[in-house]
Amino acid sequence: MSPVSRPRIAVIVFPGSNDDHDATLALDALGADAVSVWHGEDDLGDVAAVVLPGGFSYGDYLRCGALARFSPALRAVERFAAGGGPVLGICNGFQILCEAGLLPGVLRPNRSLAFVCRDVAVRVEDASTSFTRRCAPGQRLTIPIKHGEGCWFAPPEVVAELETAGRIVLRYADGNPNGSIADAAGVLNEAGNVMGLMPHPEHAVDPLLGSTDGARILGSLVDTARSRAPALV
Amino acid sequence: MKRNEAPQTAASVRSETTYPRPIRPRYLSTPLATIDPLTAVSAKNSLHRALGLTDGERDRIEELLDRDPNHFELAVFSLLWSEHCGYKHSARLLKRLPSTGLRVLQGPGENAGVLDLGEGEAVAFKVESHNHPSAVEPFQGAATGVGGIVRDVIAMGARPVALLDGLRFGAPKLAFRRAVAGVGAYGNSIGVPTVGGETVFDEAYADNCLVNVMCVGLLPSARVTRARASGAGNLVVLYGATTGRDGIGGASVLASQELGDGSEQKRPSVQIGDPFTGKKLIEASLELVERGLVESLQDLGAAGLASSLAEMARDGAGVDVHLDRVPLREEGLEPWEIMISESQERMVAVVSPPRLPAVEEVCARWELPCTAIGEVTASGQLRALDSGEVVGEIDARLLTDEAPRYEVPRRPRRPRPRRDAVDTPLDARLRNPNGASKRWIYEQYDHLVGSRTVRRPGLDAAILRLRPSCRGLAVSLQGPAPGERDPRRAGITAVLGAARNVACAGGMPIGLTDCLNFGNPERPEIAWELAEAIEGIALAAEALGVPVVSGNVSLYNETDGRPIPPTPVVGCVGLVEDVRRVPGRWRTGDAVLLAEADRDDVEAQAQLVGCLWRWAPTLSLAHDVGGGGLEVALVEAALWSELGATVGELADGCGGAIVACSEAALPRLDGVPLRRIGTAGGDEVLGQRLDELRAAREGGR
């Protein structure tokens, strides 16, 4: 197939990334050509989108993502995002994007103070973004979460700003599993090309493994990447 | 540590007539000596006794060496001849277990057992205990228990794809919660899903908890990596974490002695886990194996370098190790401390010299120290050098094959009658921590990473897909029911329970691993329990026709003279032909049946297991009737299915399974007696609403 029909999407691999392979599997299954990019690389190569996968980058013994933001690959991701490239951070990737200042807020320990792994329902608040275009407005998605620090927090004025601009794209629908402000499960940057979410869409693409609702998120990213690809080829 | 395949008997081992005798000083009488043995030696407390060796063992060492051992050598012997490493009380009994079969690529004696799955794939698995460290410090004890078993599986060249944990505590209180958090902290961080296990609360474990962890790994069947060193001139390369004073003597001080009031003073012997380094070690090790850069791999566990190098050198090769080359994390370690340190997250590889630069390059990329610390020789000697000077030299076989093997006198103990909980009202049984949902526990573990988890924790066994095919593995870990005190029945029911769980998930049982948790084997009653439990495991495994390919023995599980009940915990791996055709949830109108077998008839029970996995593609649901009884199992099946059932009069059905299928499929079920007990449908079971039952069952913590 041509590179346009299978857009190249970078999956950044940090030491301690755990869901990088899952993300690669899912993106490939959804029609992308996922390429692993080592954290030490400061050049992403010719890619149409970037995924920061889940895991415990550098062990996350410090605040989650606090070390990963200093990696050479993050410099490249920042340049890519500044140029309008779509960037999706999943779980640890979301934490890293917040630490790097590419997304507002921080992820704090879950209110329960315990790690939690289970399917949750999230509501798509905006189906027009680069990451939700395969969803219907208000659609409920079932996607697993698995994190110890997923309680998104931002100061009230930031939350108000995000609410006004509709940048809280995904919200927990049946109970809030971690105590995040405004039930936020996924937030978007101002330019609309960087999103972070705590649920793991890459773990909800295969009917053998449960829900396939995550394919709507990752599929949207693949569509976005595909629409960008001609400009890059 | 590994079991020896063909244990030999040392000639001068104490006979039954002179045994038992005071093997070790009781901990309370010499607390400091066991923590820092080499500095706490006095005229009254000679060095070998402080190290945990008997006078007879000390004499035997001198006889074998034909000279006086120096302190370094004595320290090494004391660890390698401990129960934990040397299996001196259990090795003879373990020979009773069946360990052969057409699928067996590696039986007991290596880091983990390996079975051929066909289609070029193999599975490596093993269960190991970390009881005493967890009793002293539950979080780190459990965490490093995970790290240790994962490295055993890596050492076979396998990628770890699943963890199961067997936890037995007095109550779901702080210590238990910390152990759960420890399992999660390590397993979640390294990206290996925790997909199952068992949790039992019983006062009998209040002072001596059990933390047993099983790891399952996958590898190409042509690539089984072993620990044995070969090729004189090859390099011994240590990689992973640096070496410190943590866990010095943990094997002998913790694993092979009873706990007492001074347990907190043993804290320096508990290792601290570093899952980040553990994760890098997994990835670097697999890269080394996949690229064919190493001849063999060995993890560093109990007794550190001493044990790993002795294992590597035992088959006639020898190893020279230069202890001054070992990267240290603190100043001033003595050679003996470097030799026996149990610092976590370390591995040794045998590397041919031309490949060393490539090995160093892989480790550098994963930011792991990597140092050639020695060479393989042809001398058969394990020789330790410090700045070129020999500090110890021992024929490696003396440390392993010549470890004492005790024939322990056994005295039967009439087991107290089993406490049956079946008379308690259903609601109370569902609310009891043992009958209640374990969701609050397994939700603290990542059970999804790896994209293989077709069936998540919650009912019987989890199923892992063997991507990209639709074949799968069903895995379970199970011990005897709470209150079981008959050791033979404990062994039988652990094996059959684990196998039934796997079969209910559509898996044909193909292999077992066992963790034998017992009290002090120097007591004749405990020795008898151990022998009886092994007999029970062997009988059930033979009836199933399934080998026991790996395992671990944890003895001295006593606190102030009170032993734990006999607790053999058994892991079972089953092969699922098609993960799309396994029992799931019963549907409205399905016939609900009880497949029965006499619980005391091992052959009939084995036949039931065979029927269950053969029926699997036909069944809409299958669920093991565990120790909680038939009513609890029916509630579990209904809640799992999110659909009720109308059932008639119930008799007790422990040791059987609930199955459901469409009326049309009924004639296809044969082989064991089946009793129709009801029909699926509605939102009630046993006259109670499902939402009420769920609320009762979720309230267990």
Side-chain angles (χ1 to χ4, degrees):
Chain A
M1 271 190 267
S2 75
V4 178
S5 60
R6 283 191 88 82
R8 280 165 71 86
I9 298 182
V11 177
I12 313 292
V13 182
F14 302 95
S17 290
N18 288 334
D19 301 287
D20 50 321
H21 193 58
D22 308 77
T24 303
L25 272 177
L27 289 168
D28 282 347
L30 291 166
D33 174 19
V35 288
S36 297
V37 174
W38 187 240
H39 69 116
E41 301 283 332
D42 56 7
D43 183 5
L44 301 176
D46 179 19
V47 296
V50 171
V51 169
L52 296 173
F56 292 74
S57 52
Y58 304 94
D60 276 344
Y61 293 155
L62 206 56
R63 262 188 348 269
C64 294
L67 287 181
R69 63 171 284 211
F70 293 109
S71 69
L74 245 285
R75 299 288 81 72
V77 172
E78 281 168 352
R79 288 195 302 273
F80 182 77
V87 176
L88 181 68
I90 302 167
C91 195
N92 193 225
F94 185 12
Q95 295 163 338
I96 294 167
L97 290 172
C98 288
E99 287 291 331
L102 290 174
L103 286 175
V106 293
L107 280 312
R108 307 202 297 194
N110 297 347
R111 189 172 285 166
S112 66
L113 298 182
F115 188 96
V116 59
C117 174
R118 66 162 177 258
D119 279 340
V120 296
V122 293
R123 188 172 60 244
V124 179
E125 300 286 20
D126 182 348
S128 68
T129 76
S130 298
F131 311 93
T132 50
R133 48 202 279 185
R134 282 199 194 179
C135 307
Q139 185 176 6
R140 283 164 54 102
L141 306 177
T142 299
I143 304 180
I145 54 165
K146 48 190 193 81
H147 59 247
E149 307 195 4
C151 174
W152 182 77
F153 174 85
E157 60 275 17
V158 175
V159 176
E161 187 190 323
L162 291 182
E163 292 281 22
T164 308
R167 285 163 54 194
I168 297 178
V169 177
L170 300 172
R171 241 189 265 270
Y172 298 112
D174 282 339
N176 181 331
N178 51 36
S180 67
I181 300 283
D183 296 333
V187 300
L188 197 65
N189 71 342
E190 195 173 359
N193 66 323
V194 179
M195 188 170 99
L197 76 169
M198 286 316 295
H200 284 262
E202 78 281 20
H203 286 293
V205 295
D206 181 349
L208 276 178
L209 304 179
S211 164
T212 55
D213 290 352
R216 293 184 180 272
I217 305 276
L218 291 180
S220 298
L221 178 69
V222 173
D223 288 348
T224 300
R226 190 178 288 124
S227 67
R228 280 175 51 84
L232 294 166
V233 173
Chain B
M1 292 290 23
K2 286 130 298 281
R3 281 181 188 166
N4 299 318
E5 282 158 297
Q8 296 171 9
T9 310
S12 71
V13 160
R14 295 283 150 190
S15 70
E16 289 187 26
T17 47
T18 56
Y19 198 89
R21 45 185 279 169
I23 290 278
R24 312 182 174 75
R26 269 305 302 271
Y27 187 72
L28 287 177
S29 57
T30 54
L32 280 174
T34 45
I35 287 173
D36 193 1
L38 295 196
T39 58
V41 175
S42 64
K44 280 174 80 176
N45 188 31
S46 60
L47 174 61
H48 69 267
R49 283 194 196 167
L51 286 168
L53 290 165
T54 66
D55 294 348
E57 288 166 349
R58 164 70 178 76
D59 294 345
R60 176 67 180 155
I61 291 167
E62 191 178 329
E63 187 189 325
L64 286 168
L65 288 176
D66 200 20
R67 62 178 165 81
D68 262 346
N70 66 25
H71 289 188
F72 179 97
E73 291 162 343
L74 213 47
V76 170
F77 267 107
S78 76
L79 286 158
L80 271 289
W81 282 17
S82 68
E83 179 61 39
H84 192 68
C85 295
Y87 291 96
K88 57 189 173 187
H89 293 97
S90 49
R92 291 179 156 198
L93 301 174
L94 292 170
K95 284 196 289 185
R96 170 71 182 90
L97 297 175
S99 62
T100 55
L102 290 176
R103 291 184 183 273
V104 179
L105 297 177
Q106 179 62 58
E110 268 282 349
N111 286 293
V114 184
L115 295 176
D116 194 347
L117 297 174
E119 302 185 15
E121 288 176 298
V123 59
F125 61 99
K126 186 184 179 188
V127 60
E128 195 163 71
S129 63
H130 228 217
N131 302 337
H132 282 172
S134 303
V136 176
E137 212 293 277
F139 183 93
Q140 291 296 344
T144 52
V146 174
I149 191 65
V150 164
R151 284 192 300 282
D152 275 332
V153 165
I154 301 172
M156 303 309 297
R159 173 171 284 279
V161 297
L163 289 163
L164 299 95
D165 57 329
L167 305 176
R168 288 178 181 241
F169 280 72
K173 291 184 181 157
L174 181 65
F176 173 74
R177 284 158 200 269
R178 295 297 295 157
V180 170
V183 169
Y186 206 103
N188 296 344
S189 302
I190 60 173
V192 180
T194 301
V195 300
E198 65 155 13
T199 308
V200 168
F201 301 107
D202 184 336
E203 266 303 306
Y205 303 103
D207 297 321
N208 195 126
C209 63
L210 301 186
V211 173
N212 295 176
V213 188
M214 172 174 167
C215 183
V216 181
L218 295 176
L219 69 160
S221 51
R223 204 189 67 196
V224 180
T225 309
R226 295 193 169 83
R228 303 287 187 267
S230 60
N234 279 344
L235 301 170
V236 175
V237 175
L238 173 68
Y239 66 100
T242 50
T243 299
R245 274 202 181 82
D246 39 339
I248 296 276
S252 63
V253 176
L254 286 178
S256 306
Q257 286 185 342
E258 300 164 20
L259 296 172
D261 282 345
S263 296
E264 67 282 357
Q265 293 174 34
K266 293 183 178 177
R267 209 159 280 139
S269 284
V270 178
Q271 317 88 326
I272 305 296
D274 172 4
F276 177 49
T277 305
K279 165 70 176 172
K280 293 191 293 181
L281 206 59
I282 296 175
E283 300 302 335
S285 300
L286 289 171
E287 196 173 328
L288 293 176
V289 172
E290 279 160 14
R291 289 175 54 186
L293 297 175
V294 294
E295 308 299 317
S296 64
L297 276 185
Q298 171 78 322
D299 75 305
L300 270 68
L305 276 173
S307 158
S308 297
L309 298 179
E311 288 289 337
M312 287 183 123
R314 67 188 290 185
D315 283 351
V319 168
D320 277 3
V321 58
H322 303 272
L323 296 170
D324 51 307
R325 296 184 194 164
V326 173
L328 302 179
R329 72 174 65 138
E330 58 188 304
E331 295 285 309
L333 262 70
E334 295 292 325
W336 69 271
E337 290 178 301
I338 298 170
M339 192 69 168
I340 66 175
S341 162
E342 296 185 355
S343 290
Q344 296 284 293
E345 286 89 26
R346 299 180 300 158
M347 305 271 294
V348 282
V350 171
V351 177
S352 83
R355 296 202 180 111
L356 182 63
V359 170
E360 288 172 333
E361 185 265 323
V362 169
C363 289
R365 195 150 41 78
W366 288 102
E367 297 172 19
L368 293 171
C370 164
T371 317
I373 59 165
E375 307 86 41
V376 179
T377 66
S379 67
Q381 301 286 310
L382 174 55
R383 204 158 67 124
L385 301 99
D386 183 38
S387 305
E389 202 172 304
V390 176
V391 293
E393 181 170 7
I394 306 168
D395 187 330
R397 280 170 309 194
L398 305 186
L399 293 168
T400 52
D401 299 346
E402 290 290 340
R405 304 277 182 251
Y406 293 123
E407 185 71 59
V408 191
R410 302 173 211 160
R411 187 186 311 136
R413 157 154 67 186
R414 181 161 296 282
R416 282 169 288 164
R418 203 175 144 231
R419 287 182 280 143
D420 256 333
V422 179
D423 291 339
T424 339
L426 175 62
D427 189 67
R429 271 181 282 152
L430 293 177
R431 287 176 195 278
N432 178 293
N434 284 325
S437 164
K438 305 300 187 299
R439 194 168 63 86
W440 69 280
I441 301 165
Y442 62 74
E443 276 191 357
Q444 296 184 50
Y445 307 138
D446 180 347
H447 42 258
L448 301 176
V449 64
S451 298
R452 291 184 181 86
T453 315
V454 174
R455 188 201 272 194
R456 302 179 187 186
L459 195 76
D460 303 322
I463 304 174
L464 302 159
R465 180 180 171 191
L466 293 165
R467 282 195 274 106
S469 78
C470 279
R471 299 198 308 156
L473 289 179
V475 290
S476 68
L477 182 67
Q478 175 132 33
E484 180 61 83
R485 296 293 184 268
D486 178 332
R488 183 178 295 206
R489 198 164 58 197
I492 291 172
T493 53
V495 170
L496 292 173
R500 264 199 320 275
N501 281 337
V502 157
C504 281
M508 171 181 72
I510 57 171
L512 301 167
T513 179
D514 66 331
C515 192
L516 301 169
N517 306 278
F518 288 82
N520 181 346
E522 295 156 32
R523 297 173 201 262
E525 306 80 32
I526 303 290
W528 174 81
E529 284 185 351
L530 181 60
E532 282 289 296
I534 289 172
E535 183 63 25
I537 292 172
L539 288 172
E542 284 166 353
L544 290 166
V546 170
V548 183
V549 293
S550 59
N552 162 253
V553 177
S554 173
L555 303 177
Y556 302 95
N557 287 292
E558 306 201 352
T559 301
D560 296 331
R562 291 189 309 279
I564 60 161
T567 316
V569 175
V570 173
C572 182
V573 171
L575 188 57
V576 180
E577 226 165 85
D578 187 340
V579 297
R580 294 165 298 185
R581 300 184 66 213
V582 294
R585 293 166 164 80
W586 67 35
R587 294 164 300 233
T588 302
D590 279 355
V592 178
L593 308 109
L594 181 65
E596 289 177 294
D598 182 344
R599 81 163 89 167
D600 294 319
D601 182 342
V602 179
E603 292 297 333
Q605 283 284 337
Q607 201 175 347
L608 170 64
V609 169
C611 287
L612 286 170
W613 68 260
R614 275 192 295 272
W615 295 343
T618 309
L619 301 175
S620 58
L621 173 132
H623 178 39
D624 178 31
V625 179
L630 184 53
E631 288 189 335
V632 170
L634 262 174
V635 171
E636 289 167 349
L639 291 176
W640 174 263
S641 302
E642 294 174 339
L643 184 67
T646 316
V647 293
E649 199 66 9
L650 294 177
D652 180 31
C654 282
I658 296 169
V659 297
C661 68
S662 66
E663 297 278 353
L666 269 178
R668 276 182 266 163
L669 310 186
D670 58 2
V672 291
L674 273 166
R675 185 149 54 96
R676 176 79 182 255
I677 54 172
T679 305
D683 56 2
E684 287 189 358
V685 69
L686 300 169
Q688 292 194 54
R689 292 178 50 82
L690 289 188
D691 49 2
E692 287 166 10
L693 290 165
R694 187 180 302 279
R697 199 166 167 267
E698 293 293 338
R701 62 171 132 176

